[in-house]
């Protein structure tokens, strides 16, 4: 896939920050080569992957897990976004700060999804955005206006064992 390289990549430190991209559907195997696809993403820093997902409660939708192991999705690739000088506690504080904005109940596939979250985190940590192809479908949906994709929600529900997220698709008729 051809991607335009951002010529103004910022290097802020010595800790690498990766964007881990996952396929939501097997069709991505074909759509990827046309610059399309439906993707989930998470940000890996200090050996922890942070991501965002939907649930019905007004608490945070940010969760953490083992890098490249997001259950229910197929790992596609890891992309070095840049580097940060923030330590593990400062990264955790950044996530806590964003937990007020990224509530599980405010997830929206078109305007506030996991890729939007990852873009904001990557900019905060490195000064660099995520590649545009990762969230292209949401931008197309936003530009097209009234679309059935607006009410499609990708949800995760935490079980008692937080290490095993159960991922589900739901349709919200709002």
């Amino acid at each position: 896939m051809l991607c335009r390289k951002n010529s103004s990549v910022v290097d802020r430190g010595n800790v690498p920050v990766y964007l881990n991209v996952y396929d939501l559907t097997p069709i991505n195997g074909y759509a990827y080569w046309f610059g399309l696809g439906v993707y989930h993403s998470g940000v890996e820093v200090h050996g922890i992957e942070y991501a965002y997902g939907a649930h019905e409660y007004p608490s945070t939708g940010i969760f953490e897990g083992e890098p490249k192991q997001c259950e229910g999705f197929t790992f596609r690739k890891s992309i070095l976004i840049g580097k940060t000088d923030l330590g593990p506690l400062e990264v955790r504080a950044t996530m806590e700060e964003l937990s007020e904005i990224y509530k599980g109940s405010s997830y929206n596939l078109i305007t506030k999804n996991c890729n939007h979250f990852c873009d904001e985190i990557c900019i905060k940590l490195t000064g660099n955005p995520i590649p545009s192809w990762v969230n292209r479908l949401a931008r197309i949906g936003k530009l097209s206006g009234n679309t059935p994709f607006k009410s499609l929600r990708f949800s995760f529900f935490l079980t008692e064992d937080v290490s095993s997220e159960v991922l589900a698709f739901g349709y919200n008729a709002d």
Side-chain angles (χ1 to χ4, degrees), residues 50 62 90-99 117 121 125:
Y50 298 93
I62 299 172
E90 294 165 306
V91 170
R92 170 131 352 231
T94 302
M95 298 302 165
E96 291 291 329
E97 184 181 302
L98 286 175
S99 71
F117 166 76
I121 286 295
L125 296 179

Side-chain angles (χ1 to χ4, degrees), residues 39-168:
Y39 303 102
H40 170 72
S41 64
V43 174
E44 179 184 345
V45 61
H46 295 292
I48 298 172
E49 183 172 311
Y50 298 93
Y52 171 63
H55 57 73
E56 60 191 50
Y57 306 104
S59 58
T60 186
I62 299 172
F63 60 101
E64 61 183 53
E66 187 76 22
K68 303 175 191 152
Q69 302 295 317
C70 196
E71 190 177 330
F73 301 129
T74 303
F75 177 74
R76 170 168 286 278
K77 69 189 311 181
S78 189
I79 303 165
L80 177 64
I81 299 297
K83 295 183 178 179
T84 186
D85 58 357
L86 295 182
L89 295 177
E90 294 165 306
V91 170
R92 170 131 352 231
T94 302
M95 298 302 165
E96 291 291 329
E97 184 181 302
L98 286 175
S99 71
E100 293 300 315
I101 300 166
Y102 286 92
K103 305 281 188 196
S105 58
S106 67
Y107 185 96
N108 181 290
L109 188 60
I110 302 299
T111 61
K112 194 176 199 179
N113 65 36
C114 57
N115 302 316
H116 292 107
F117 166 76
C118 288
D119 191 51
E120 187 166 343
I121 286 295
C122 286
I123 290 169
K124 282 185 178 290
L125 296 179
T126 70
N128 301 319
I130 67 173
S132 62
W133 61 266
V134 175
N135 209 20
R136 181 169 289 139
L137 202 57
R139 283 194 314 281
I140 291 170
K142 190 172 184 177
L143 290 173
S144 69
N146 217 355
T147 174
F149 293 116
K150 280 189 174 180
S151 55
L152 187 63
R153 296 181 62 168
F154 296 98
S155 305
F156 73 91
F157 301 96
L158 296 180
T159 62
E160 286 182 28
D161 176 13
V162 176
S163 66
S164 61
E165 289 91 6
V166 178
L167 299 161

